[in-house]
Amino acid sequence: MAEADKPALSVVTCTAPVNIAVVKYWGKRDEELILPINSSLSITLHQDQLKTTTTAAISRDFKEDRLWLNGQEDDIGHPRLQSCLREVRRLARKRRSANGSGGDDGSSRGDPPPLSLAYRVHIASENNFPTAAGLASSAAGYACLVYTLAKLYGVEGELSEVARQGSGSACRSMFGGFVQWVMGQQADGKDSIALQVAPETHWPELRVLILVVSAEKKPVGSTAGMQTSVKTSLLLKHRAEAVVPERMAQMIQHVQQCNFEGFAELTMKDSNQFHATCLDTFPPIFYLNDTSKQVIALVHRLNAHYGKTKVAYTFDAGPNPVLFTTEDTMDELVEVVRRSFPPENNGGQFLKGLPAKAASLSEELVSAVVRDPMPGAIRYLLLTKPGPGPLLVEDASCHLLGADGLPRSSSS
Ligand code: DP6
């Protein structure tokens, strides 16, 4: 095909979700391929509340690969981003040569001709939540990048392995619902992939309440933190070898049976053990702050009051508690949290995301559970539930890049 007849621009926009681990990933056996020392399991959160949107475009007119994050131009040379880009292009080349389309251009079967793999790419990405809120933005970001590039280059099949090379936890954001990341054994990482345990429709009563306690940047990033833990923590070694394999099997069973008590207890224990490995790291790493600890105590008081585990907490590499409960307890839980951490900013919305109904708490519950309220310690709550994996956005008005390949909202 003559160069001039080729389409000038190809644009794709997709969205991808955040996930929260209930059996934690902490520690790599291969830093470059991002291969973990243990398997992990997470819940994909609904994109109506938390998502990354990414537009990727290729054009013969682009002079260089470029990247914009939340409207600002950023460095596209980051090694992990380059790994993802290289892998998707490699898969595209493989697919095109298998289709007999000559690798780089032209089509063999009447499909519109794919744009040349040698063309430069422009990528724009943004989150519908504050990046600094500690809500695992790298998982959604890399999952979205890989999914969008794959659509753009016409690549299908196993993509979690590519997303994993952006950020370990990103491989789990390639599916909706309940997802395990199987650690694998091979040195090339081909068997270190994400698999869906159950779809997002599997446990409709499950709810997730995120308590945003601080927008400060976390003290030690997870990549650096887990490196030091692998080097220094004997507890982490024990956890990876002897604890997690059994917990994975138990957690999968609890999820399959929608057994909330089993799920909740194991989730709390696994979060606690992850933070214990951080304390066992030398020098130690502290992700939980006073507010986090108050929330842990509150959840245990609440469960003791109910005489049953109705609420669970988990914390990643930051102080924000993520609580799990079921629909029937949700309204009461929101009210308990509001009473324990009265909002200071009355103008701002305290509960975001899914709505909760006003709940009146019994005096018994208040006196047993609500102690020493900490006004202003929690900035806001975000109520959500399990949701789907990455999605293609068909509506062209949602593209983050214009016909000129530059961010729509920016003049650069
Ligand atoms: C505590 O996936 O952010 O959230 O692979 O180095 O990018 P890298 O780390 P990352 O680590 C996530 C750690 C965690 C637990 C989890 O999500 O399983």
Side-chain angles (χ1 to χ4, degrees):
M1 179 178 294
E3 191 66 19
D5 296 335
K6 286 184 184 167
L9 180 81
S10 183
V11 195
V12 172
T13 298
C14 298
T15 63
V18 165
N19 71 76
I20 177 76
V22 291
V23 176
K24 305 288 185 192
Y25 146 56
W26 196 251
K28 299 182 186 66
R29 62 181 201 275
D30 183 314
E31 290 287 333
E32 201 151 317
L33 287 172
I34 311 197
L35 302 178
I37 59 169
N38 62 258
S39 297
S40 54
L41 196 143
S42 61
I43 297 178
T44 297
L45 303 184
H46 207 289
Q47 295 181 47
D48 282 353
Q49 283 76 47
L50 296 164
K51 72 176 171 203
T52 297
T53 302
T54 299
T55 298
I58 35 176
S59 162
R60 63 170 179 237
D61 299 329
F62 295 167
K63 303 278 181 293
E64 53 183 348
D65 291 341
R66 291 177 75 180
L67 170 73
W68 290 265
L69 295 181
N70 296 312
Q72 296 294 312
E73 182 142 24
D74 212 298
D75 176 20
I76 200 164
H78 192 286
R80 288 176 168 201
L81 203 148
Q82 287 296 319
S83 300
C84 293
L85 199 48
R86 188 184 58 238
E87 280 303 295
V88 177
R89 281 173 169 156
R90 187 181 63 76
L91 291 172
R93 206 166 290 119
K94 200 166 130 193
R95 187 179 151 92
R96 290 186 192 184
S97 51
N99 284 346
S101 57
D104 238 17
D105 60 359
S107 83
S108 55
R109 296 175 308 192
D111 297 339
L115 293 184
S116 170
L117 284 170
Y119 287 173
R120 300 292 97 200
V121 66
H122 282 189
I123 300 164
S125 193
E126 63 184 33
N127 298 328
N128 68 348
F129 57 93
T131 307
L135 300 171
S137 57
S138 72
Y142 276 107
C144 206
L145 173 77
V146 169
Y147 194 80
T148 309
L149 289 173
K151 289 273 179 244
L152 184 69
Y153 289 113
V155 173
E156 277 161 10
E158 179 44 60
L159 293 172
S160 75
E161 205 207 313
V162 183
R164 191 201 70 225
Q165 295 178 52
S167 181
S169 53
C171 73
R172 299 184 312 235
S173 276
M174 296 301 279
F175 296 95
F178 303 80
V179 185
Q180 60 169 322
W181 172 12
V182 181
M183 65 175 285
Q185 302 297 332
Q186 287 173 218
D188 64 4
K190 293 268 178 266
D191 57 351
S192 186
I193 55 171
L195 299 171
Q196 190 179 60
V197 172
E200 62 275 18
T201 48
H202 167 70
W203 197 347
E205 302 81 27
L206 195 65
R207 292 291 178 275
V208 184
L209 185 68
I210 302 169
L211 281 54
V212 178
V213 304
S214 121
E216 284 163 34
K217 287 210 111 185
K218 55 192 173 194
V220 182
S222 34
T223 305
M226 67 176 83
Q227 266 171 2
T228 318
S229 297
V230 169
K231 277 193 210 128
T232 62
S233 171
L234 285 176
L235 177 58
L236 181 65
K237 189 171 152 58
H238 169 71
R239 166 179 164 76
E241 287 169 4
V243 181
V244 173
E246 204 173 315
R247 282 193 176 170
M248 284 296 291
Q250 287 169 345
M251 192 61 96
I252 289 170
Q253 202 176 24
H254 294 324
V255 166
Q256 281 168 344
Q257 297 173 347
C258 301
N259 169 358
F260 187 80
E261 290 206 67
F263 162 83
E265 272 164 37
L266 197 52
T267 293
M268 292 187 277
K269 285 180 181 169
D270 201 72
S271 173
N272 294 342
Q273 188 177 69
F274 156 51
H275 290 279
T277 68
C278 292
L279 186 62
D280 190 48
T281 297
F282 195 79
I285 307 168
F286 305 96
Y287 288 121
L288 306 180
N289 65 15
D290 281 351
T291 310
S292 320
K293 291 173 199 166
Q294 289 300 327
V295 171
I296 291 175
L298 175 70
V299 168
H300 285 288
R301 284 200 300 273
L302 191 57
N303 287 333
H305 170 78
Y306 287 135
K308 196 174 167 195
T309 304
K310 288 182 137 197
V311 180
Y313 53 78
T314 189
F315 299 82
D316 276 348
N320 291 340
V322 176
L323 306 185
F324 295 100
T325 192
T326 46
E327 207 179 0
D328 53 356
T329 309
M330 196 64 243
D331 301 336
E332 203 158 76
L333 176 63
V334 168
E335 192 51 32
V336 166
V337 172
R338 197 196 304 269
R339 295 271 195 109
S340 308
F341 303 94
E344 240 168 20
N345 174 7
N346 288 328
Q349 199 185 357
F350 190 56
L351 177 66
K352 302 184 190 199
L354 295 173
K357 286 194 223 71
S360 59
L361 306 178
S362 70
E363 264 175 40
E364 235 182 301
L365 188 152
V366 173
S367 65
V369 174
V370 178
R371 273 186 217 153
D372 306 325
M374 294 171 75
I378 289 175
R379 289 200 302 133
Y380 64 91
L381 309 180
L382 184 65
L383 179 53
T384 184
K385 61 183 185 179
L391 299 166
L392 177 70
V393 179
E394 309 274 2
D395 180 357
S397 71
C398 295
H399 291 323
L400 303 178
L401 297 169
D404 57 357
L406 295 175
R408 281 192 152 150
S409 48
S410 117
S411 52
S412 58

